[in-house]
Amino acid sequence: MKLEVWQRGMDLFELAFRLAARVSDFKLKSQFVDAAQSISANIAEGYGRRSLAEYLQYLYTAKGSAAEALTRAAGLWRVKLMADGDWEALDTLHYEVENKLLRLIESLEAKRGTAEWRDSLPPSIQ
């Protein structure tokens, strides 16, 4: 929860949730909110797995969820269920979250095959 990308992902979910309140189509609303919520959920779940490979897999899934949320928002905007200002705010926040995710992924990819990441807890905690 200390990761800025997780925090900004939660901000994106909050914005999506508020914007979705205006959408009457249950399925579209649900898919939009679920995709936005999935971003920070996947960041957290990946970290909780402790395996670098799994963490990266979940971060890539979070990136995919961000793309899905943006696509759903674009659809809502195109059919005039989202105001221009709301679309711009969501697009800007999405851009920030996506770039923070990419930086985190790059940082973790650089740790593959090095001693900078331990896939298990220290013996004193186990």
Side-chain angles (χ1 to χ4, degrees):
M1 292 173 57
K2 292 181 181 180
L3 283 176
E4 192 172 331
V5 66
W6 181 89
Q7 294 168 7
R8 298 302 283 158
M10 290 298 291
D11 292 342
L12 186 62
F13 163 67
E14 182 181 343
L15 178 58
F17 189 83
R18 282 187 286 132
L19 295 175
R22 304 177 199 152
V23 178
S24 60
D25 181 290
F26 176 78
K27 184 176 179 181
L28 183 56
K29 176 192 288 192
S30 176
Q31 290 172 329
F32 175 45
V33 172
D34 287 350
Q37 196 277 331
S38 183
I39 299 165
S40 52
N42 276 293
I43 293 167
E45 186 168 356
Y47 179 78
R49 297 292 179 124
R50 294 297 308 151
S51 156
L52 182 56
E54 283 184 289
Y55 191 12
L56 285 163
Q57 177 184 343
Y58 277 89
L59 292 177
Y60 282 113
T61 300
K63 188 176 174 320
S65 294
E68 180 183 357
L70 183 68
T71 299
R72 304 252 182 229
L76 292 171
W77 175 65
R78 289 179 68 149
V79 298
K80 307 295 183 213
L81 291 175
M82 184 181 294
D84 290 347
D86 292 335
W87 161 250
E88 290 169 13
L90 190 130
D91 185 38
T92 299
L93 183 53
H94 168 272
Y95 180 81
E96 179 184 349
V97 169
E98 181 180 47
N99 279 286
K100 287 183 184 305
L101 264 172
L102 287 170
R103 298 300 78 77
L104 179 57
I105 289 167
E106 286 174 356
S107 170
L108 293 174
E109 288 281 7
K111 294 181 183 200
R112 281 189 194 258
T114 71
E116 292 184 58
W117 179 274
R118 287 199 320 237
D119 283 346
S120 61
L121 296 172
S124 61
I125 297 177
Q126 293 179 355

